[in-house]
Amino acid sequence: MFSWWTGGGEAAGLDAMIAVFAETDPNIEFINSAVAGGAGTNARAVLASRLQANDPPDSWQGHAGWELIGTYVAADQIEPLNFLYDEEGWLDVMPDTLIPLISKDDNIYSVPVNIHRANVLWANPTVLDEAGVEMPETLDEFFTALDTLQAGGMDAPLAMGEQWTAEHLMETIFLASLGGDAWTALWDGTGDWEAPEVTEAIENFAKVLVYTNADATGLSWQDAGQLVLDGDAAFNIMGDWQEGFFREVGSAPGTGYIWGPVPGTGGNFQFLSDSFVLAKNAPHRDAAIAWLTVAGSSDGQDAFNPVKGSIPARNDADRSLYGEYLLSAMDDWASDTVVGSLTHGVVANDSWKSELETALGLFLGDQNVEAFQMALAAAAAASPSQ
Ligand code: GAL
């Protein structure tokens, strides 16, 4: 079984689900082939070479949305799982939002284990108190808060890590600038990448970057989170796996860290979902199906998610097992406008995403707003087939 959950809250979540599997299927050996690196940057490259060499893991982690449909389904690398959905009655408990994102031509291709929220602002409450700064709710309030913190001597009040975390930051600032409908329209072909609103979104992103740490490229997402816990930064924008990390290192909600939607994105839940697939010609097909059965079960999901920092994909969670943050995420998931994440595979296929990432790499170096917008528009125009 292949994933990128090797540490910092993530491995602990996976281990909790493996423990359920060990109870339900004591005779099956679980081989954990996880490859380290946040957001799967390294793991997905290793997976691609294994698939190319005809050496697939039995089951692997893939994001619901275009990552799944545009890559593994398009390349005919995974089996439809409708039979398992029928056997387990999953269509009754999985959210309607999710099924189309993991389906093609009435075939369902994966088992979602969770829903993560991407647009979360994490903050150190002591740092904010000392600076007299409130949790910002709009982009303007955010910039004012960052200015106040900087004026008070904190050079980099917003902690950031390696490039994918900059992409993550970018998508949340785009959502804040554009709003949910216009964000979604950029991906479904009805939006205009050359519009002045996109220019403004890029400008806001450039402005936010000014407050980030100079050593970002050398830091993981956990390192960036640690800067907030240590009071070396006030804020971090990261998916809610960050809470899994905060809890794992012993920090407590409310006193160690607080949270809110990324300023300007309140009422929107920018989501992603980790799901597991069944390889075509899986070397141990029955064992893989046993794993997928646990991954889709309420026992598996209620063991995994409270530790991982996500809410279950299933809608019948035992709420008593979840902490304060995750309960708030469950409520928001049920009431907010749901929009997809770019960095974590929902809205764009891999080739579109990789064009964007090349453009982003240049932008992080030169901050050329016009060139970046042209490159984003060109990447969209080159991806009409999605
Ligand atoms: C995401 C994944 C999350 C978490 C995060 C950081 O892509 O969906 O589960 O692992 O990367 O590694």
Side-chain angles (χ1 to χ4, degrees), residues 4-5 10 37-40 61 63 114 116 164 221-222 238 241 272-274 304 308 343-344:
W4 54 86
W5 295 332
E10 318 211 290
Q61 172 196 358
H63 287 124
N114 66 3
H116 266 306
W164 74 263
W221 61 269
Q222 292 100 329
M238 189 37 61
W241 44 90
L272 56 123
S273 169
D274 294 307
F304 172 73
K308 178 67 165 67
T343 314
H344 310 281

Side-chain angles (χ1 to χ4, degrees), residues 148-171:
T148 306
L149 288 153
Q150 259 189 351
M154 184 177 268
D155 286 343
L158 178 62
M160 193 174 83
E162 58 191 312
Q163 186 175 320
W164 74 263
T165 72
E167 183 179 350
H168 187 112
L169 176 63
M170 178 183 92
E171 69 177 50

